[in-house]
Amino acid sequence: MGDRSRRLCVCEEEMMKNYNSNRYKSQTPNHIRDKKNNRNSCLSVFLIRSSPRNYGFCMATLFLFCLGSLFYQLNGGPPKILLEIRQYLGNSTFLDDHGPPLPRVLPFPSQVVYNRVGKCGSRTVVLLLRILSERQDFNLVASDIHNKTRLTKHEQADLMKNISNIPQPFLYTRHVHFLNFTRFGIEQPVYINIIRDPINRFLSNYFFRRFGDWRGEQNHMIRTPGMKNEERYLDISECILENYPECSNPRLFYIIPYFCGQHPRCREPGEWALERAKQNVLENFLLVGILEELEDVLLLLERFLPHFFKDVVSIYKSPEYRKLGNMTGTVRKHTPSLEALQVLYQRMQYEYDFYYFIRDQFHLMKKKIGLKSQSRPTRTPGFLQASQLKTEQPEEEEEEEEEEEEEAGEDNWLEHP
């Protein structure tokens, strides 16, 4: 049995060798060729794709991509052709891929309101602001409304809302009494203003309404067409001594309401309006200057609000600016009699109290930054010291007339220069 088993194993081995040998011998040349083709297929595809034509196409594409990237960096944005391709491929934008751009860094403060007082040099400042707004890139909105300083509650809300919607940084200026933005839930802007000696302001307005300025001999006829010749040529001393309405209270109570506000009591001469005006100055006004020291006012504005008033002093002193303002001086202005001035001064006690307060605050501010006043101020007008009443005024301005204000009509508040 053992020998038989061994013979069977040997026979099985010989049969397996014969089977394998016959299997390889049975393959045809075509089978062998197919195998070789399969092995060389990958190499053939690679050779086809890397032909000179396709290689040049890839290099050209890469070159255009690099060139477009270069234009993007040099011009601050992609070339127009790339934008057109992007638009063709889809509506995706730069914001979709990169998010919103960084917000503009605004100066502080970026909201300034100049509620200019009539006949206190505001035309001088507005002319400067028109030049500065172009140089310093801020929005200047200068309203031409001259006879609407007192507003209803609804008008106040509308005006403050419109002002707050001006693109920042902005400076808004108009003849209007102080507006309390926080009372209506709106962010309070920074206020600035300029006043002058009350009697000098009154004289300037009195003669401007009647005779205008050097810009045109007939412009006063346009502004006050209903004024009769008797009123136009009324002697100012007679107006004061005879107690005409134009030369009496409440018409003489003019400066304080610009700082007191829109409350009805702000238009009544008295301690209440005076104290409220002082409080608003301390709490809401960055600077209130005096026209008698205008150059120092401009210097402080340049120091406190450089984004708006940078180089304002040099512009103010330039010959080019002087040419713009030479024709704005009030004509036919003269000084009343000493008796009339004394009467006028007594009627304007509250106005002078406020004026001295502003002057003291202004000089204190000058002292803090190292500016010296030319002379020591007194609380007695010059005409009471046997000296002629005269204020150095750089340019007169076409300002608000002290007429009864119109209560009807739309407030066309947003008038750009």
Side-chain angles (χ1 to χ4, degrees):
M1 289 295 295
D3 294 336
R4 186 178 180 179
S5 298
R6 283 195 294 272
R7 285 196 298 269
L8 288 173
C9 291
V10 171
C11 291
E12 289 176 358
E13 291 176 1
E14 290 179 356
M15 289 176 64
M16 291 297 297
K17 290 180 180 180
N18 292 334
Y19 172 79
N20 291 333
S21 176
N22 293 333
R23 180 170 173 263
Y24 283 106
K25 289 179 180 180
S26 64
Q27 291 183 350
T28 64
N30 291 334
H31 293 151
I32 299 173
R33 188 163 49 252
D34 290 340
K35 290 182 179 181
K36 292 181 179 180
N37 289 338
N38 289 335
R39 286 194 300 267
N40 296 331
S41 61
C42 293
L43 181 61
S44 299
V45 172
F46 175 77
L47 292 176
I48 292 175
R49 291 183 178 178
S50 61
S51 64
R53 179 180 177 182
N54 293 329
Y55 179 78
F57 176 77
C58 292
M59 294 303 296
T61 303
L62 180 61
F63 175 76
L64 291 176
F65 176 80
C66 294
L67 186 62
S69 177
L70 179 63
F71 275 109
Y72 184 91
Q73 298 179 44
L74 292 178
N75 298 330
K80 182 178 180 181
I81 186 173
L82 294 184
L83 292 175
E84 293 176 352
I85 293 174
R86 184 174 191 138
Q87 184 178 4
Y88 176 77
L89 294 176
N91 294 324
S92 176
T93 63
F94 179 86
L95 297 181
D96 296 332
D97 300 334
H98 301 82
L102 295 176
R104 179 182 179 184
V105 178
L106 296 174
F108 180 81
S110 59
Q111 304 176 71
V112 180
V113 172
Y114 173 29
N115 62 324
R116 58 188 192 268
V117 180
K119 307 309 294 179
C120 289
S122 62
R123 182 170 178 82
T124 299
V125 180
V126 170
L127 287 175
L128 290 170
L129 286 171
R130 295 185 192 278
I131 301 173
L132 291 168
S133 63
E134 297 179 358
R135 294 190 181 186
Q136 308 299 339
D137 190 26
F138 64 87
N139 294 308
L140 172 65
V141 180
S143 174
D144 291 329
I145 299 174
H146 297 155
N147 59 349
K148 192 69 175 177
T149 59
R150 310 165 189 172
L151 308 177
T152 65
K153 187 175 181 180
H154 179 71
E155 290 172 338
Q156 294 178 51
D158 288 344
L159 178 58
M160 287 185 282
K161 182 179 179 180
N162 290 333
I163 292 176
S164 63
N165 288 332
I166 301 174
Q168 301 180 27
F170 70 80
L171 191 150
Y172 177 81
T173 176
R174 173 183 162 174
H175 296 295
V176 64
H177 295 168
F178 174 77
L179 297 168
N180 190 345
F181 284 69
T182 56
R183 180 187 173 194
F184 292 83
I186 304 175
E187 181 182 358
Q188 183 84 351
V190 167
Y191 275 87
I192 59 173
N193 216 323
I194 300 174
I195 66 172
R196 70 191 293 187
D197 180 276
I199 290 181
N200 278 320
R201 194 217 65 81
F202 166 76
L203 296 179
S204 179
N205 183 77
Y206 183 90
F207 291 104
F208 177 76
R209 291 185 61 245
R210 286 161 170 77
F211 309 113
D213 54 30
W214 294 107
R215 286 173 292 173
E217 296 181 357
Q218 301 299 322
N219 64 359
H220 59 287
M221 301 296 294
I222 299 175
R223 293 184 64 85
T224 55
M227 182 179 290
K228 299 179 181 180
N229 286 337
E230 295 179 359
E231 181 183 0
R232 190 177 303 277
Y233 295 99
L234 175 65
D235 181 73
I236 188 171
S237 297
E238 180 182 351
C239 178
I240 297 171
L241 296 176
E242 297 297 328
N243 205 21
Y244 281 75
E246 185 177 359
C247 302
S248 307
N249 284 313
R251 295 284 291 276
L252 295 178
F253 193 71
Y254 181 82
I255 298 177
I256 290 177
Y258 275 88
F259 301 88
C260 179
Q262 298 289 334
H263 194 282
R265 293 186 65 184
C266 288
R267 301 189 291 271
E268 300 174 3
E271 290 289 338
W272 188 91
L274 173 63
E275 295 303 320
R276 182 161 180 168
K278 291 180 180 180
Q279 181 180 359
N280 282 334
V281 168
L282 296 176
E283 295 179 354
N284 298 289
F285 283 79
L286 177 65
L287 176 68
V288 181
I290 55 176
L291 184 62
E292 291 80 4
E293 301 176 34
L294 179 60
E295 191 170 321
D296 288 341
V297 175
L298 298 177
L299 186 62
L300 289 182
L301 287 172
E302 184 175 356
R303 180 75 63 89
F304 297 153
L305 299 171
H307 185 78
F308 297 92
F309 290 94
K310 182 180 179 182
D311 299 327
V312 65
V313 176
S314 60
I315 296 173
Y316 175 68
K317 293 181 177 180
S318 65
E320 293 79 7
Y321 171 77
R322 292 294 181 180
K323 293 179 182 178
L324 297 176
N326 282 341
M327 302 301 294
T328 58
T330 301
V331 300
R332 300 195 187 186
K333 184 168 62 175
H334 62 270
T335 304
S337 66
L338 180 60
E339 180 185 3
L341 288 173
Q342 291 173 334
V343 172
L344 193 61
Y345 178 72
Q346 294 298 323
R347 294 175 184 171
M348 304 179 77
Q349 282 296 312
Y350 292 114
E351 292 277 281
Y352 268 99
D353 190 322
F354 183 75
Y355 172 74
Y356 294 143
F357 168 78
I358 294 298
R359 188 180 64 181
D360 292 342
Q361 292 293 319
F362 179 68
H363 287 168
L364 179 62
M365 192 171 295
K366 287 174 56 177
K367 184 178 180 180
K368 289 182 178 179
I369 67 171
L371 290 178
K372 295 182 179 180
S373 300
Q374 295 180 354
S375 60
R376 185 175 181 179
T378 63
R379 287 186 174 269
T380 304
F383 65 87
L384 295 180
Q385 299 176 1
S387 61
Q388 186 176 3
L389 179 69
K390 185 178 181 181
T391 298
E392 180 183 356
Q393 44 191 8
E395 286 89 27
E396 290 292 347
E397 65 287 310
E398 181 179 355
E399 298 285 6
E400 174 191 4
E401 300 173 16
E402 296 178 49
E403 299 287 351
E404 291 297 325
E405 299 171 0
E406 302 176 4
E407 297 297 335
E410 293 295 327
D411 185 1
N412 186 17
W413 71 275
L414 189 58
E415 297 190 25
H416 291 269

